[in-house]
Amino acid sequence: MTESKQVTGLSSGHLTHIEDHLDRRYIQPGKLPGALTLVARRGEIAYLKAQGLMDVERNKPVSRDTVFRIYSMTKPITSIAMMQLYEQGRFLLDDPVHKYIPAWKNLRVYNSGVYPNFLTTPATSTMTIRDLFTHMSGLTYGFMNRTNVDAAYRELKLDGGRNLTLEALVSHLAELPLEFSPGTAWNYSVSTDVLGYLVQLLADKPFDEYLREHIFEPLAMPDTGFHVRDDQLDRFAACYQFDPVDQFKLQDDPQTSPFRDERRFLSGGGGLVSTIDDYFHFAQALCQGGEFGGQRIIGRKTLEFMRRNHLPGNQDLPSLSVGPFSETPYAGTGFGLGFSVKTDVAKSQINGSVGEYGWGGLASTNFIIDPVEELVVIFMTQLIPSSTYPIRQELRAIVNGALV
């Protein structure tokens, strides 16, 4: 093989396989409307490519400044915000959640029945703030469609109904049973939304204002927020839903999207929109030990602590998960304080490094940070659900093949 030009220790020729692969396998066959991919190493962008359309109905191409719904890629941002307060001594990870939300003192676990007539038993353990970070809280998501508890979440619209607020969320959750006693299993959940509530409570400041002042402004992330401003509308992508017959169909028109409204529910688990450059500033800050552009958002040792596997006994997700859903493949993957962490490269069946971490979003967005290789990969598109295609695994294989 003839080696092509190297950019920051990456073969630029090999990186072109990203464009070829996405175009051949996904965009030309009509499986994805469009995509935007960024690869950076040692702080320098080595590959950035827009492909396809951000709005099929209006024939608008994806561009570098396209605004995307990042959904659960909000979670790492919320987790960093909460850990900023940890660094100020505002809480400890083993603090019981009821210390800050008194109504949660006597939480119970589901036994049988349907909402509102549940039969429950007392939880055998106390929920801690660490359980919220690691999704071992016993909470769930309504969209799981797995249990009678998540059916109650759907009925109460706890995944983000128009009238929901952070205060209403924690109030409703106090009245619902947990799926399991905290710390005994892993289940993807509204836990990070509760962390957003705690940020607001501990900082005595609205959650969106806190994020703007302590993360977005320091990192020069002007396009990241909980709603799409008028000046962003022309750059706001449409969102699509996978359709087994037509490949995909329009799910959220940018002109009429609820993201156009000032949001009442500031979802720390999935409420943000962003651009690839904005999110790169955030991801690169993490890759560089908590600092970007001369602005530090988190301490180096705190970040090292966050990206360790915090699952008990260094187990991986298959050992502890009670539900099938995650924004990452399970095998060989643990969970830290806000993101997945690779613990076993061979078991994961995806080449990479032990200790790489990241997360994805409902509309198939994804980011990964490899601190060993000083590598950041960000993929943006808008197709629900994120489990539709194995794009993140395929991109990881291509990018790793470019390392020299």
Side-chain angles (χ1 to χ4, degrees), residues 43 94 99 152 176 184 197-198 210 223 226 259 272 283 360 379 401 404:
D94 60 359
K99 178 178 179 180
L176 294 176
T184 63
Y197 170 81
L198 291 175
Y210 182 90
D223 280 320
F226 287 102
F259 283 93
L272 291 174
F379 177 73
V404 295

Side-chain angles (χ1 to χ4, degrees), residues 44 89 228 232 306 381:
E44 294 185 38
V228 176
Q232 295 175 300
M306 293 180 71
T381 189

Side-chain angles (χ1 to χ4, degrees), residues 113-288:
V114 295
Y115 179 79
N117 300 309
F118 287 128
L119 294 178
T120 64
T121 57
T124 59
S125 54
T126 299
M127 187 194 300
T128 67
I129 291 181
R130 177 174 172 156
D131 293 327
L132 294 173
F133 275 103
T134 60
H135 294 282
M136 296 188 70
S137 62
L139 300 172
T140 190
Y141 265 126
F143 66 76
M144 295 292 192
N145 294 300
R146 189 178 63 87
T147 69
N148 288 339
V149 177
D150 64 48
Y153 279 49
R154 290 194 299 278
E155 185 167 340
L156 294 169
K157 296 181 170 54
L158 299 189
D159 290 358
R162 284 184 177 270
N163 295 319
L164 191 65
T165 63
L166 288 173
E167 293 78 8
L169 174 69
V170 298
S171 178
H172 283 305
L173 291 175
E175 300 169 357
L176 294 176
L178 302 175
E179 295 273 15
F180 49 82
S181 290
T184 63
W186 191 93
N187 188 50
Y188 199 42
S189 71
V190 298
S191 290
T192 317
D193 290 309
V194 180
L195 289 181
Y197 170 81
L198 291 175
V199 169
Q200 186 168 276
L201 180 72
L202 294 169
D204 193 24
K205 180 173 293 190
F207 184 43
D208 54 345
E209 289 184 22
Y210 182 90
L211 293 182
R212 185 180 69 250
E213 292 177 14
H214 296 275
I215 296 179
F216 302 154
E217 289 180 353
L219 295 184
M221 298 170 65
D223 280 320
T224 304
F226 287 102
H227 81 286
V228 176
R229 306 184 306 265
D230 289 344
D231 64 289
Q232 295 175 300
L233 180 58
D234 191 54
R235 298 183 283 125
F236 185 35
C239 193
Y240 297 89
Q241 177 87 38
F242 171 70
D243 185 310
V245 176
D246 299 320
Q247 309 262 16
F248 60 79
K249 60 184 178 182
L250 184 65
Q251 182 266 342
D252 186 30
D253 189 304
Q255 297 289 333
T256 57
S257 171
F259 283 93
R260 291 283 291 125
D261 304 329
E262 290 278 358
R263 311 301 293 275
R264 296 186 67 205
F265 182 51
L266 304 178
S267 171
L272 291 174
V273 298
S274 190
T275 61
I276 206 162
D277 279 294
D278 275 20
Y279 210 87
F280 170 63
H281 294 175
F282 174 73
Q284 190 59 41
L286 302 190
C287 191
Q288 295 176 174

Side-chain angles (χ1 to χ4, degrees), residues 15-24 47 49-51:
L15 288 174
T16 62
H17 289 308
I18 297 174
E19 178 182 0
D20 295 341
H21 175 73
L22 292 175
D23 187 65
R24 181 184 67 255
Y47 178 89
K49 182 68 178 180
Q51 299 172 253

